[in-house]
Amino acid sequence: MLHPRRILLALLVGLVAPPLSLAEKLDKPVAISVQKTDKTHVAGKVQSYDDDGMEVSDNKGQTQTVRWDELDAKTVYATRQKFLGPRDASGYVELGKLMLGVDAGQPFADKAFAAALKLDPNLKEQIDQAKADGPPKKHRPGAEKPEGEENKSDSGEQSAASGNGGPLEVGEVDKKYWGPLTDAEQADSVDPLKKFADRSAKTINRPLQLLETKYFLFYSDLAPREAANWAGLLDRMYDRLATLFGVEKGKNVWRGKALIFVFSKDTDYRQFQMRLHSTDPGESAGMCHAFGDGIVHIAFYRQANQLEFAHVLVHESVHGFLHRYRSAANIPSWANEGLAEVIADELVPQTQRTPQAIPQFATRLIERHGWRLGRFFDTDHIEGWQYPVAESLTTFMIRQSKKNYVDFINGIKDGLPWEQSLEKRYNAPRDRLVGAYAKSMGIQIKD
């Protein structure tokens, strides 16, 4: 799971940003001149920023990262305010949240929230929630690995899982639920999903309306028109993946259907995860539970930023599709997260960034850390700052040969270890792939 907020939705080099969110690329660089708390002076133009800091280029073209915690509260506020438009109410809300986590930042948080409320009174509930939540927590998506005992999806009885790497795989795999299922078996699988959803609504005391499509059971407390919009986005995601992998038109890969929950409030989302899934959602905005009996539950809360929410919605649902596609064999984290990011960015373009943003992030990460990037290929789950590399590499693989990429995924699903599938199905051993990828971006790999 990406998590959780997009974020994304990726990260500045060497920094840990909120789950899945990409640094904001400014349409027009902003000139600044600031003094850090250590009395050193920084002048130049800000190219991009996120909740950890900003990238500043000087007149010689040299770029440095300036962290917000290197500046006093007044300077942080004045600088971040320069990045906002005159009517950017949501931007002021985010600025207020940031200032809550800055030393001596409370007065400036209040100032930002007041500005947001003046621009859009409808944000009052969101602002009140931000004040109640307090300072934002630093979070590294994927840092925790789910643990727990076997559990059963139909009953909702699950083990505790610490939840920000994912998808969360729950229970021992029962292979009989993969492969062709009869219409009767598919229909019989839908009823327990609906019963679980009904019980969920009663447990958290939140009425949920069902919008049922061919492949999804979409439960939410959103307005009907908005719910239909998001359900339609999921149908487009399914069609995109089915086309990529050559799934027969109209074929349903789910066991029954994918069970989707979208809550308008993050508090309801967290209550749902803790009480119905016995899962700590951490700072996530969405999570995919992939069960050993083939059932898939995916839950979210509706973030204020529509693009971020749409991105997470697609990203987590791609994980669910890959869980069900072809067999129960697991796709390695770098490939799983990479494809989830590629499809999410394709269906939900990020207007704030250029097409070169992800390759640029990936290039700097590789040059700074060396290709292994903390065991990028071998870890059970990549860390948040490795997502741009996963996305960029996946894009490269598909562009080089879509057929070979599909054969690579199919090989894993058919039982080949991923490195063997890469060599035999993609026709590029790991070292050759890495070399070609690096060369395509004009970078030198450092061991």
Side-chain angles (χ1 to χ4, degrees):
M1 151 188 55
L2 210 142
H3 314 339
R5 299 190 280 127
R6 217 147 116 105
I7 343 196
L8 29 316
L9 297 180
L11 317 160
L12 277 176
V13 178
L15 296 176
V16 176
L20 292 184
S21 67
L22 288 171
E24 296 284 349
K25 181 77 173 181
L26 294 172
D27 292 333
K28 183 178 180 180
V30 174
I32 65 158
S33 178
V34 298
Q35 180 174 282
K36 296 183 181 180
T37 53
D38 65 3
K39 305 304 181 182
T40 59
H41 187 260
V42 178
K45 292 186 177 181
V46 179
Q47 307 292 332
S48 60
Y49 69 98
D50 66 7
D51 285 349
D52 288 293
M54 56 183 170
E55 285 199 334
V56 183
S57 298
D58 62 21
N59 56 12
K60 296 180 180 179
Q62 299 296 312
T63 300
Q64 65 173 301
T65 297
V66 178
R67 301 193 313 273
W68 299 124
D69 60 14
E70 295 178 303
L71 307 173
D72 62 35
K74 182 178 180 180
T75 303
V76 172
Y77 184 86
T79 303
R80 277 291 297 262
Q81 192 177 27
K82 291 182 179 181
F83 307 156
L84 303 179
R87 304 293 301 175
D88 189 357
S90 296
Y92 274 100
V93 173
E94 293 305 310
L95 176 54
K97 292 178 182 178
L98 173 70
M99 297 309 302
L100 288 173
V102 174
D103 289 343
Q106 183 65 57
F108 297 98
D110 293 339
K111 186 176 181 180
F113 289 140
L117 200 58
K118 184 176 180 179
L119 291 169
D120 186 355
N122 293 325
L123 292 173
K124 184 179 187 307
E125 184 176 346
Q126 183 181 335
I127 292 171
D128 290 343
Q129 184 63 56
K131 291 179 179 179
D133 290 342
K137 298 176 182 178
K138 295 296 181 185
H139 174 70
R140 176 180 297 174
E144 303 87 18
K145 180 181 177 182
E147 297 178 354
E149 302 173 355
E150 180 178 348
N151 41 66
K152 297 183 179 180
S153 59
D154 287 347
S155 67
E157 296 172 358
Q158 303 176 21
S159 61
S162 179
N164 294 306
L168 296 185
E169 295 165 3
V170 185
E172 295 294 326
V173 169
D174 189 339
K175 294 183 179 179
K176 73 181 181 183
Y177 292 111
W178 273 262
L181 298 176
T182 67
D183 290 343
E185 288 173 327
Q186 288 286 46
D188 289 343
S189 297
V190 170
D191 187 57
L193 294 172
K194 291 182 176 180
K195 289 180 179 178
F196 176 79
D198 290 341
R199 185 167 73 256
S200 299
K202 292 176 182 177
T203 300
I204 64 172
N205 193 29
R206 172 63 59 181
L208 300 174
Q209 298 298 316
L210 169 62
L211 196 162
E212 185 169 358
T213 74
K214 186 172 183 178
Y215 305 113
F216 297 94
L217 299 173
F218 189 97
Y219 284 87
S220 79
D221 57 356
L222 304 176
R225 179 177 295 180
E226 184 179 6
N229 178 54
W230 301 127
L233 177 60
L234 291 180
D235 282 337
R236 294 197 298 276
M237 177 220 72
Y238 186 96
D239 290 341
R240 175 67 183 89
L241 288 170
T243 299
L244 175 64
F245 289 111
V247 175
E248 179 184 347
K249 187 174 178 60
K251 180 181 178 182
N252 180 12
V253 304
W254 310 108
R255 182 184 167 198
K257 297 185 180 184
L259 181 58
I260 308 294
F261 294 91
V262 177
F263 300 94
S264 59
K265 297 181 180 179
D266 63 341
T267 50
D268 290 328
Y269 162 75
R270 302 188 193 291
Q271 283 294 310
F272 167 81
Q273 296 290 23
M274 290 187 288
R275 299 181 68 180
L276 276 305
H277 283 150
S278 299
T279 298
D280 178 3
E283 295 300 302
S284 68
M287 297 178 69
C288 173
H289 283 72
F291 295 91
D293 61 5
I295 293 299
V296 173
H297 295 178
I298 315 175
F300 313 84
Y301 71 86
R302 170 61 164 90
Q303 296 163 271
N305 185 307
Q306 182 167 293
L307 286 177
E308 287 191 3
F309 170 68
H311 184 102
V312 176
L313 183 70
V314 174
H315 179 106
E316 294 302 318
S317 301
V318 172
H319 288 323
F321 184 99
L322 286 176
H323 175 64
R324 286 296 301 161
Y325 171 65
R326 202 175 182 95
S327 78
N330 290 329
I331 303 299
S333 178
W334 66 268
N336 204 323
E337 299 295 349
L339 183 62
E341 284 292 88
V342 167
I343 298 300
D345 281 342
E346 179 180 318
L347 296 182
V348 189
Q350 301 294 301
T351 58
Q352 304 95 330
R353 78 174 194 210
T354 67
Q356 295 78 31
I358 286 295
Q360 288 171 354
F361 279 130
T363 298
R364 284 179 283 175
L365 284 163
I366 294 169
E367 289 178 336
R368 175 170 294 192
H369 296 279
W371 172 252
R372 292 188 181 278
L373 288 172
R375 295 177 57 81
F376 171 80
F377 278 118
D378 305 312
T379 183
D380 288 338
H381 196 280
I382 62 173
E383 298 183 35
W385 55 274
Q386 296 170 327
Y387 277 69
V389 177
E391 179 179 354
S392 179
L393 177 59
T394 300
T395 298
F396 173 78
M397 292 176 69
I398 293 173
R399 284 177 178 170
Q400 291 302 300
S401 176
K402 183 182 295 185
K403 177 184 181 301
N404 286 7
Y405 177 81
V406 172
D407 288 346
F408 161 66
I409 297 295
N410 287 348
I412 298 172
K413 284 292 187 175
D414 292 342
L416 291 176
W418 74 262
E419 284 194 86
Q420 189 174 340
S421 185
L422 189 65
E423 180 174 357
K424 294 183 178 297
R425 300 295 181 87
Y426 193 78
N427 296 325
R430 172 169 160 172
D431 289 346
R432 188 193 305 165
L433 173 65
V434 171
Y437 168 61
K439 183 178 180 180
S440 73
M441 297 195 294
I443 60 178
Q444 194 96 22
I445 296 176
K446 300 176 183 178
D447 292 328

